[in-house]
Amino acid sequence: MNVLVVLTTILFILMVLVGGKKGARSFIALFLNFGVLFLTILEMTDPKANPIILTLVACVIISCINLFYINKVNNKTITAFISSIITTAILLLFIVIVTETMMIQGFGEEEIEEISIYSLTIGIDFVKIATSMIIMSTIGAIIDIAISITSPMREAFYHHPSISRKELFTFGLSIGKDILGTSTNTLFFAFFGSYLALLIWFKDLSYSVGEIVNSKIFSAELITILCAGIGVALVIPIASWITATYLVKIKEKM
């Protein structure tokens, strides 16, 4: 416990030193996001609740916290919020189809021993749970990319107010191209970092490459990373177009 307190204190000090008041708000936002996720998980245990709807509501709240609470309400956060919600809605349709087709819901055979003492008749649709898990895993990356594009686009527009919508859109795409590779690689390495023990376990069990790839646990996590990558790729043109259209319209009304 003392280690957690020390690390949390160090993180808070560094975030305040680097980010000032915005850094302090970012630190508080971590706990707010945790609270939203915790309450969402508690509500999911109710068989009458729809996990997907709960997840979408949680994503909207998390987006508001990460965008409006940290960066306040302005042009860049409004367009980033709209872009994130649209991208999540589009991605949701794809995720539902993939989850039902690939049948990645539930537990893998490697987990049978751990769950054997529990009752499996809990009345929860694990297809919806799997869909919710993937959505939750993608929303953070989508919000991050959205604000990373809308913020420099707003700065470029304020410094060059005569810029056209097409030029501003192209500027946003160029930014997206620069961060697309690093963002997808971050998701990829996060997967292998968090599941390194699982991969070592597969090696100890003498799994072949085919058995690893077809393992439900591995497939579910890899599909999550791929869906997050698709969300990152989608939000780039969406955020660029929405921001360019929004800023140009504001200029035309002035």
Side-chain angles (χ1 to χ4, degrees), residues 45-47 107 118-126:
T45 58
D46 184 0
F107 301 94
Y118 300 105
S119 173
L120 300 181
T121 56
I122 57 177
I124 295 178
D125 190 341
F126 275 89

Side-chain angles (χ1 to χ4, degrees), residues 116-193:
S116 60
I117 62 174
Y118 300 105
S119 173
L120 300 181
T121 56
I122 57 177
I124 295 178
D125 190 341
F126 275 89
V127 175
K128 294 180 179 179
I129 293 294
T131 303
S132 300
M133 179 191 69
I134 297 176
I135 296 172
M136 281 291 187
S137 301
T138 59
I139 187 64
I142 291 174
I143 294 173
D144 180 56
I145 298 299
I147 193 65
S148 297
I149 292 176
T150 59
S151 181
M153 286 183 68
R154 188 187 72 160
E155 293 300 320
F157 177 77
Y158 283 166
H159 286 84
H160 305 280
S162 60
I163 189 172
S164 66
R165 180 184 305 177
K166 182 178 180 181
E167 291 173 333
L168 194 57
F169 174 72
T170 304
F171 177 74
L173 288 180
S174 65
I175 297 172
K177 292 177 183 178
D178 292 336
I179 61 180
L180 177 61
T182 55
S183 298
T184 50
N185 275 311
T186 299
L187 297 171
F188 178 77
F189 289 121
F191 161 72
F192 274 96

Side-chain angles (χ1 to χ4, degrees), residues 2 20 42 56 69 76 112 114 122 144 174 178 184 193 196:
N2 291 333
L42 288 180
L56 292 177
Y69 174 70
K76 64 179 180 181
I112 292 177
E114 288 94 350
I122 57 177
D144 180 56
S174 65
D178 292 336
T184 50
L196 183 60

Side-chain angles (χ1 to χ4, degrees), residues 89-105:
I90 295 173
L91 195 60
L92 174 62
L93 300 175
F94 176 76
I95 291 174
V96 171
I97 295 173
V98 170
T99 303
E100 293 181 348
T101 303
M102 300 296 294
M103 294 185 293
I104 59 174
Q105 71 276 5

